[in-house]
Amino acid sequence: MLSINMDDVLNVLTSIRSYLIAIGVIIAIAVVLMIAVMKLNKPVKKLIRGTALIAMLTGIVVCVNMICSGPMSTMLDLVSGSGTISKTTSDETTVLAQDIAREGIVLLENNDNTLPVASGSKLNVFGWASTNPILGGAGSGALNDAYDQISLLQSLKDAGIETNSELTQFYTDYKADRPVVGMWNQDWTLPEPNVSLYSDELMANAKSFSDTAMIVISRSGGEGADLPTDMNAVIDGSYMDGTTYTAGTYDDTLNEGNDWDAGDHYLQLTNREEEMIDLVCANFDKVVLVYNGANAFELGFIKDHPQIKSVLWVAGMGHVGMEALGEIVAGEVNPSGKTIDTYVYDMEKTPWWNNFGDFNYTNMDEFAYTSTGFTGNESTANVSFINYVEGIYVGYKFYETAALEGLINYDETVQYPFGYGLSYTTFEQTMGDITEADGQISFDVTVTNTGSVAGKDVVEVYFNPPYVSGGIEKASANLVQFDKTQLLEPGASETINISFAVEDMASYDYQNAKAYVLEAGDYVISINSDSHNVIDSKTYTVDSTVTYSGSNSRESDLVTATNTFDYAEGDIEYLSRADGFANYAAATAAPKSYEMAADAKASFYNISNYLSAEATAADEDANAEAVTTGAETTLKLADLRGLDKNDPKWDELLNSMSLDDMNALISLGGYQTNSVDSIGKVRTNDCDGPASINNNFTGVGSLGFPVGVTIAATYNKELAYSFGDYIGKMADEMDVSGWYAPAMNIHRTAFAGRNFEYYSEDPILSGYVASEACKGSWANGVYAYIKHFAMNDQEENRCDMLCTWSNEQAIRETYLRPFEICVKNVDMCAVMSSFNYIGNRWAGGSASLLKTVLRDEWGFNGFVLTDYFGVYGYMSSDQAIRNGTDCMLVNYPTATNNVQFRDTNGAQQAMREATKNILYTVVNSRAYAPENLTMGMASWKKLMIVLDVIFGALMVCLMAIFIKNFLKRKKEEAPAATSAEE
């Protein structure tokens, strides 16, 4: 999500230009007239001037009225919204936010049971970040300023732990505030005093204060830019992050000495941090490390410092979640979170390292787009690309499989596996026998607390499918289901039933069968403590291969899935497990060619070549029937609430609408769905915030929950549902019907700027956490916009026509899977498409994605909204509606948000279908619940009418005064004139 940019401001001014010209002409005529009557006698002159003034003011007010009720109507609707969050709901949200944090903090190390420390203990807290922890993310994930925040140090104090105030003062005196990493510019500077500033007295006092130290290391991130992979290039200004509207800087003069060595990246320690850790470990034998960041970090230095006994991963805790850190450190809460990504020792040895970042085509200059963007600076976007060369081997699926095949030494490569996390207690899990019925595999897992303190445990279920070298690509470890226990007292047990569909273990064969295939052989189903360590396993045998093709579709699909993304494969060598990943070096190398292939270029579109009758017609149904418009009906939209989408009344209602009515819904969908008076369609509000809900126009917003990765790290579906439920409750109180979240793109790399709000490197964890949140919000009639559909897995070049190349298996099994889980498990939701291209087609204009897969295969019945409609040289409503997008996320005119080519049957059918999708979603939401439905006039319109009446009355009075004065002066001048004649 983005805010207003300069292009859109210019578009708004353009839309009201004729009115502004009219105002100028009116003022000019009035001034000329006032000057022209200078030589007339005084009564006439004053009357004419008074009349001219009234006419001028009236003309200006009429123009302002036309501007308000025309081009600016939507904006005024948004800023005049109402609704507040009750104290009761806010208080309950606070409790839930802290519950999520309690289960979302992950204990990575706890040697010698250093944690917990007793309440009443003293603790030296080192690291400048301890005074300014990261609580949220930039962009749509930013926290609302209306709420107080609980700091890291406050959380320790609240837990009864006294911290060294002299150390804290040392850091705040050094620098009071954190450099801002925002959407439009990023200051990546990491304040950390040089060790030379730690005086002997300061360290001596610290050792006297406590024999235990805590070190805090933080890393930021957010919408608008990815984390830098070359810090020295950021310092000297040569680093190009690929985005046309960001400016990353680093002040290497703040801290004494160079912070970074050649080749260093943002997700490793600075030189100052290394020295500080050395200093602390040289003076303390018991050290607790807190990593405060959403992105997986290189933590290998822990192995070099045996004094670091305990390690906690604490991502953004929102406004109040940090309270949980103190509770965990003091032992009031037993940590139960698990990692949502794999932590490796060396990022540069990952399979994606050479294929992430800024890559621009050299043969696409004719499609370049120059604009004035968010910062007010003119920039040119060139067509860019990214190659997903690793195929399905993302995250742990690569590391587990590569270790099995002998490509890597696992222990030397991976520090903390996916799904890993420790507890203050111990658990035993036993796996029951597998049963299969009606296509569902089921078994019980009994979890017993074998330790001495109460705690919760996660049941992680994986499968390892049969694999033949050179056959369908398959990872050796695949999360298929998970669950979490309730709080178990020592000695207590809980039995959890695990169930999943047999077809969930099928692989997509994009090369031969062009379908999902469940190959014959043994499938090892295991319960694991993490992706690498198996607790117990059973074998499920498939006697003969099942190919889900032709009429034999998967049970969960409406129509059989088959290849629809061949065009996105590109001319790329994808990583293959064949012969022990024999092609690893070749497949994961940096791109060899920076030219788009001729066939792909021939079918590449942006607004320079799409907006024509020929191009738009090619995306239409050539056999579409004529659309009826303007027919008489007594039906209103409210009458259709609860009716099936195929009920004949929908046709009757749609037949009554005009094309202009439809276009009003389609073209102006920014933070709202528009009103249509002819059918009783009320305007509804949509709001942003992946971990909150904030109305950017009224300023009303909610408490910020912990960020998405923290919610995912709980592995608790009930908490995910409660999170969505309270978002829905708060939205309802704010008179909001749509929530621009949850976001479920994949952590393909550790450097993606929005990893804080995206859940995980794993699609199953992402999908189930997201679907529970969507169910929770919909329980309140609030539809979630699941986003960003699809493959928006980096910020770099996201608005620069970023062509994302991948094979169909990876697209379906990895990047679409979370969305598939949501659509198939949630009664109603909306979809927000993504900025990027899939292959050479804009995701928001991809019929393969938005029609074939989303609606035909999965049965999606909501509506699709673009991501922020900034045009960017490629976004148009014409391409969008013809290919499955229904609504444009903008609330003022742009060059392309109105449907321009709409004379053909195909175009009108596309407009009608988009309109129906929007209306069907909204009428079944909270907006049309009887207690919420208000058909009255917007408050600003009422105010405008009142002001117009007052203005009119004032003008009548003023005119009466002018006339009265004129008659009086004329009467007074009459005797004088007679006397002069005599």
Side-chain angles (χ1 to χ4, degrees):
M1 286 299 308
L2 307 175
S3 298
I4 299 170
N5 68 27
M6 293 303 298
D7 267 354
D8 294 322
V9 172
L10 293 175
N11 282 327
V12 170
L13 293 176
T14 299
S15 70
I16 64 175
R17 181 172 56 187
S18 59
Y19 303 104
L20 296 178
I21 292 172
I23 290 172
V25 170
I26 290 169
I27 294 173
I29 292 173
V31 170
V32 168
L33 188 59
M34 290 177 184
I35 295 172
V37 299
M38 286 182 63
K39 296 183 178 180
L40 296 179
N41 62 61
K42 194 172 183 180
V44 174
K45 179 170 63 176
K46 287 196 171 184
L47 178 62
I48 293 174
R49 284 182 170 178
T51 304
L53 176 64
I54 290 172
M56 180 183 73
L57 293 175
T58 302
I60 292 171
V61 168
V62 169
C63 288
V64 170
N65 271 259
M66 294 174 72
I67 291 172
C68 292
S69 58
M72 297 303 294
S73 175
T74 300
M75 292 289 287
L76 291 170
D77 282 339
L78 288 165
V79 299
S80 62
S82 61
T84 57
I85 298 171
S86 69
K87 185 178 185 303
T88 298
T89 302
S90 188
D91 289 345
E92 292 171 353
T93 301
T94 297
V95 174
L96 175 61
Q98 293 179 342
D99 284 343
I100 291 170
R102 291 175 182 117
E103 297 194 30
I105 292 175
V106 181
L107 180 63
L108 297 174
E109 301 276 359
N110 198 26
N111 298 319
D112 302 332
N113 294 320
T114 299
L115 289 179
V117 301
S119 180
S121 300
K122 294 182 177 181
L123 195 62
N124 293 297
V125 184
F126 287 87
W128 181 87
S130 64
T131 63
N132 278 273
I134 302 296
L135 300 178
S140 61
L143 296 177
N144 190 311
D145 292 335
Y147 295 85
D148 292 333
Q149 301 174 354
I150 295 178
S151 69
L152 185 149
L153 295 172
Q154 182 65 44
S155 77
L156 295 171
K157 179 181 178 181
D158 291 347
I161 298 170
E162 184 182 352
T163 59
N164 186 335
S165 59
E166 185 182 13
L167 269 177
T168 300
Q169 187 68 45
F170 168 68
Y171 291 122
T172 55
D173 286 347
Y174 182 75
K175 185 168 176 57
D177 55 343
R178 176 178 286 279
V180 177
V181 173
M183 282 187 68
W184 319 132
N185 52 71
Q186 300 80 36
D187 185 349
W188 297 105
T189 306
L190 295 169
E192 197 66 64
N194 190 289
V195 291
S196 64
L197 299 178
Y198 291 82
S199 66
D200 291 342
E201 181 183 4
L202 180 67
M203 294 306 297
N205 290 345
K207 286 194 283 187
S208 298
F209 182 78
S210 173
D211 65 352
T212 304
M214 173 183 283
I215 297 172
V216 181
I217 302 293
S218 289
R219 290 296 184 269
S220 189
E223 183 177 4
D226 293 317
L227 280 56
T229 55
D230 187 341
M231 293 309 300
N232 276 310
V234 175
I235 292 169
D236 66 26
S238 63
Y239 184 74
M240 298 295 294
D241 70 352
T243 54
T244 57
Y245 51 85
T246 58
T249 59
Y250 192 98
D251 181 6
D252 204 29
T253 65
L254 174 63
N255 307 320
E256 181 184 344
N258 296 328
D259 285 355
W260 303 95
D261 296 326
D264 282 353
H265 58 71
Y266 188 67
L267 292 175
Q268 58 190 122
L269 293 175
T270 69
N271 293 330
R272 302 291 76 71
E273 290 168 336
E274 289 177 354
E275 294 167 355
M276 180 266 291
I277 290 171
D278 288 342
L279 176 68
V280 174
C281 289
N283 285 275
F284 297 90
D285 291 329
K286 291 191 295 183
V287 179
V288 177
L289 176 76
V290 173
Y291 170 53
N292 169 225
N295 302 65
F297 194 80
E298 287 188 5
L299 293 169
F301 64 89
I302 293 169
K303 304 297 184 184
D304 302 325
H305 295 87
Q307 299 88 347
I308 300 178
K309 306 293 186 181
S310 302
V311 180
L312 289 163
W313 173 47
V314 183
M317 292 285 107
H319 283 108
V320 299
M322 192 61 79
E323 187 77 357
L325 175 63
E327 295 172 342
I328 287 173
V329 170
E332 296 174 33
V333 170
N334 189 349
S336 60
K338 301 282 188 176
T339 55
I340 45 81
D341 293 324
T342 305
Y343 281 67
V344 298
Y345 288 107
D346 189 347
M347 299 282 189
E348 295 186 34
K349 294 181 180 178
T350 56
W352 45 260
W353 180 262
N354 293 319
N355 289 277
F356 169 76
D358 181 24
F359 303 96
N360 293 286
Y361 283 116
T362 56
N363 65 333
M364 301 290 284
D365 290 350
E366 62 267 42
F367 296 103
Y369 178 73
T370 300
S371 63
T372 303
F374 298 94
T375 61
N377 298 320
E378 185 175 273
S379 60
T380 298
N382 296 296
V383 183
S384 55
F385 69 95
I386 194 74
N387 298 335
Y388 284 20
V389 296
E390 66 278 3
I392 67 164
Y393 300 105
V394 176
Y396 74 89
K397 294 187 179 183
F398 169 71
Y399 298 107
E400 303 301 335
T401 312
L404 183 66
E405 293 290 345
L407 178 68
I408 64 169
N409 181 308
Y410 191 88
D411 292 337
E412 293 178 359
T413 304
V414 175
Q415 186 170 10
Y416 301 117
F418 168 86
Y420 168 86
L422 302 177
S423 171
Y424 294 154
T425 189
T426 56
F427 295 95
E428 178 183 82
Q429 296 187 12
T430 57
M431 183 179 183
D433 291 333
I434 291 174
T435 61
E436 189 269 323
D438 299 324
Q440 293 287 314
I441 289 176
S442 298
F443 58 91
D444 289 337
V445 178
T446 300
V447 183
T448 303
N449 184 343
T450 58
S452 58
V453 296
K456 295 185 177 185
D457 199 18
V458 175
V459 175
E460 301 175 41
V461 182
Y462 296 80
F463 72 91
N464 181 0
Y467 170 74
V468 176
S469 182
I472 304 172
E473 297 298 334
K474 298 177 186 178
S476 62
N478 303 269
L479 184 72
V480 68
Q481 193 52 269
F482 64 92
D483 208 337
K484 194 168 191 176
T485 69
Q486 300 300 311
L487 185 69
L488 297 179
E489 295 295 331
S493 297
E494 180 180 346
T495 297
I496 292 175
N497 181 258
I498 297 293
S499 179
F500 60 90
V502 174
E503 67 183 32
D504 288 346
M505 298 190 294
S507 301
Y508 192 84
D509 180 7
Y510 73 100
Q511 294 178 311
N512 297 308
K514 303 184 189 308
Y516 283 98
V517 177
L518 186 72
E519 288 192 309
D522 292 338
Y523 290 73
V524 179
I525 299 171
S526 62
I527 55 172
N528 291 22
S529 59
D530 51 59
S531 63
H532 190 62
N533 294 289
V534 175
I535 298 172
D536 196 3
S537 66
K538 308 286 183 182
T539 299
Y540 176 82
T541 301
V542 175
D543 294 327
S544 58
T545 295
V546 179
T547 301
Y548 298 99
S549 62
S551 60
N552 183 37
S553 66
R554 294 185 301 169
E555 185 68 27
S556 63
D557 287 336
L558 296 185
V559 299
T560 305
T562 191
N563 280 22
T564 188
F565 297 106
D566 285 338
Y567 66 88
E569 185 177 347
D571 185 20
I572 296 167
E573 180 176 0
Y574 290 97
L575 183 60
S576 172
R577 184 178 173 181
D579 301 321
F581 291 101
N583 76 333
Y584 181 83
T588 61
K592 295 181 179 63
S593 173
Y594 282 68
E595 290 192 356
M596 183 180 285
D599 58 338
K601 182 176 180 178
S603 56
F604 178 91
Y605 285 106
N606 67 3
I607 60 173
S608 71
N609 62 341
Y610 186 82
L611 295 176
S612 68
E614 295 75 20
T616 54
D619 280 343
E620 296 171 5
D621 179 1
N623 300 313
E625 296 181 356
V627 170
T628 300
T629 58
E632 292 292 329
T633 182
T634 59
L635 282 177
K636 297 295 182 183
L637 180 59
D639 300 327
L640 276 63
R641 181 174 170 86
L643 296 185
D644 186 84
K645 200 173 184 182
N646 295 317
D647 191 288
K649 288 184 178 179
W650 276 106
D651 285 332
E652 182 180 344
L653 184 79
L654 292 166
N655 288 346
S656 72
M657 297 180 70
S658 68
L659 293 180
D660 287 341
D661 286 340
M662 298 177 191
N663 184 66
L665 270 180
I666 291 166
S667 63
L668 293 172
Y671 302 95
Q672 66 155 12
T673 64
N674 211 351
S675 60
V676 180
D677 293 340
S678 64
I679 59 169
K681 163 66 176 71
V682 298
R683 194 192 65 80
T684 61
N685 295 308
D686 296 335
C687 284
D688 218 341
S692 59
I693 189 149
N694 296 312
N695 190 320
N696 298 330
F697 297 90
T698 66
V700 176
S702 77
L703 181 94
F705 284 93
V707 296
V709 292
T710 303
I711 299 171
T714 69
Y715 282 69
N716 189 325
K717 295 176 185 176
E718 292 180 3
L719 280 179
Y721 179 90
S722 295
F723 160 63
D725 181 30
Y726 270 87
I727 288 288
K729 284 181 169 65
M730 293 186 290
D732 186 44
E733 292 181 4
M734 291 168 59
D735 191 27
V736 170
S737 300
W739 172 39
Y740 287 169
M744 62 199 76
N745 296 100
I746 295 297
H747 295 186
R748 176 179 174 253
T749 85
F751 288 86
R754 297 182 83 169
N755 275 7
F756 75 96
E757 64 176 295
Y758 301 159
Y759 293 118
S760 171
E761 68 186 21
D762 181 73
I764 301 301
L765 176 61
S766 300
Y768 280 113
V769 170
S771 65
E772 290 301 318
C774 293
K775 289 178 186 177
S777 68
W778 184 244
N780 298 277
V782 176
Y783 46 88
Y785 289 85
I786 58 177
K787 66 181 188 181
H788 306 88
F789 195 56
M791 304 179 76
N792 187 165
D793 307 301
Q794 69 175 51
E795 295 301 282
E796 297 183 61
N797 292 331
R798 65 175 182 162
C799 298
D800 291 1
M801 295 166 279
L802 176 63
C803 297
T804 307
W805 302 96
S806 182
N807 65 52
E808 184 131 2
Q809 182 181 12
I811 291 173
R812 287 182 176 273
E813 291 186 14
T814 303
Y815 301 101
L816 300 190
R817 187 72 173 115
F819 298 94
E820 179 182 6
I821 292 171
C822 280
V823 170
K824 290 181 176 179
N825 288 280
V826 181
D827 290 338
M828 177 66 75
C829 62
V831 164
M832 182 185 290
S833 62
S834 54
F835 286 128
N836 57 288
Y837 281 52
I838 297 177
N840 65 343
R841 300 182 189 177
W842 169 40
S846 169
S848 301
L849 180 70
L850 303 176
K851 288 186 175 181
T852 304
V853 172
L854 182 62
R855 294 195 186 276
D856 297 345
E857 293 180 18
W858 300 349
F860 176 68
N861 62 358
F863 75 96
V864 178
L865 177 74
T866 67
D867 204 335
Y868 182 77
F869 197 91
V871 183
Y872 308 118
Y874 62 92
M875 301 174 89
S876 72
S877 61
D878 279 283
Q879 186 178 9
I881 63 162
R882 287 165 170 83
N883 292 282
T885 293
D886 305 304
C887 196
M888 312 305 121
L889 202 167
V890 68
N891 46 48
Y892 32 75
T894 70
T896 59
N897 66 308
N898 290 294
V899 181
Q900 300 176 36
F901 296 86
R902 60 190 202 185
D903 293 334
T904 64
N905 290 350
Q908 293 175 13
Q909 283 286 4
M911 293 178 71
R912 180 185 174 100
E913 189 62 30
T915 299
K916 183 178 181 180
N917 292 333
I918 298 167
L919 295 177
Y920 179 76
T921 306
V922 173
V923 76
N924 288 297
S925 74
R926 61 159 297 282
Y928 273 79
E931 65 272 19
N932 296 325
L933 186 60
T934 303
M935 303 298 291
M937 186 181 294
S939 58
W940 70 267
K941 291 183 179 178
K942 295 177 182 177
L943 178 61
M944 185 174 72
I945 291 172
V946 170
L947 292 176
D948 284 346
V949 170
I950 294 172
F951 174 80
L954 289 174
M955 292 303 100
V956 169
C957 292
L958 189 58
M959 192 68 218
I961 292 171
F962 287 148
I963 293 173
K964 181 179 178 181
N965 289 339
F966 168 74
L967 294 175
K968 180 180 178 182
R969 290 189 185 102
K970 190 174 182 180
K971 185 176 180 180
E972 290 173 349
E973 288 181 354
T978 303
S979 175
E981 289 175 2
E982 293 176 352

